[in-house]
Amino acid sequence: MLEKMPRVLGEALSGLKAGLDGTTYHAGFSTVPKGIRVASDAFSDRGALPSRFTADGEGLSPPLAWDGLPPGTASVALIVEDAGSPTPRPLVHLLAWNLDPAARLIEGAATGDRPSGPIVGKNSFLKSGWLPPDPPTGHGDHEYLFQVYALSQRLDLEAGSGREALVEAMEGKVLAKGGLIGTYARA
């Protein structure tokens, strides 16, 4: 959708970015201890997301793994936000919860239409599942923060819920967090 935005407009908006400070990781759960290691076989921390995970490719959700969860972890929640979006708050690209602490997400697992996949919520485009990165041409690098949270219990939250409902359900249950940043830009 944004690939059709004129380059001159993307360049004009290049100074307008939501910022990492506005992500749930920094704004919503700033006092939660870090310690979870988050990794992907597809990209390194602060490395470029391969195009197959974006709107310029197949739009698959990337594989993701985590370790270093604290004792007492009953489930895992995942939030992916675009800190580079030209919006007041970072765009939500994925919400998932009640993930098995010992599991990992395989490539393409967070589509929102797989009965055996994770429980997913609505992204910023109000669709369930992975919202492939689609930054404006000429806007510069976007930082996609993959946030993993260790929770003391499973969440009683309906599939298709949004960011605010997920964050509210997580309050008081987050034991630790970890993050991984993938970048993407359209030249």
Side-chain angles (χ1 to χ4, degrees):
M1 182 170 112
L2 294 179
E3 74 277 4
K4 293 181 171 76
M5 180 183 284
R7 178 180 180 73
V8 68
L9 186 54
E11 289 173 351
L13 294 172
S14 65
L16 178 62
K17 297 192 178 194
L20 286 169
D21 288 343
T23 62
T24 302
Y25 190 89
H26 293 287
F29 295 108
S30 61
T31 60
V32 169
K34 299 175 187 172
I36 299 172
R37 290 173 298 282
V38 185
S40 177
D41 294 337
F43 63 96
S44 60
D45 191 30
R46 297 203 175 269
L49 286 167
S51 64
R52 72 179 179 273
F53 304 116
T54 72
D56 294 323
E58 298 161 65
L60 300 170
S61 59
L64 203 62
W66 49 83
D67 65 11
L69 301 175
T73 299
S75 70
V76 168
L78 170 65
I79 299 174
V80 182
E81 293 172 304
D82 175 9
S85 65
T87 54
R89 290 186 68 190
L91 284 181
V92 173
H93 283 262
L94 180 64
L95 301 172
W97 58 91
N98 291 347
L99 298 165
D100 181 341
R104 60 182 290 143
L105 286 182
I106 61 169
E107 186 172 304
T111 63
D113 60 359
R114 296 177 64 178
S116 62
I119 297 173
V120 295
K122 287 197 170 118
N123 57 45
S124 286
F125 284 18
L126 303 178
K127 295 183 179 182
S128 290
W130 174 246
L131 173 63
D134 186 21
T137 302
H139 192 251
D141 278 341
H142 281 226
E143 296 175 305
Y144 299 89
L145 180 54
F146 292 75
Q147 307 157 60
V148 173
Y149 298 93
L151 304 177
S152 60
Q153 65 186 62
R154 292 177 60 81
L155 300 178
D156 183 20
L157 186 63
E158 185 177 316
S161 295
R163 173 177 36 203
E164 286 74 22
L166 175 57
V167 169
E168 184 178 315
M170 290 169 58
E171 286 177 7
K173 300 171 186 80
V174 182
L175 303 172
K177 67 183 180 180
L180 173 70
I181 294 176
T183 64
Y184 192 68
R186 280 200 177 104

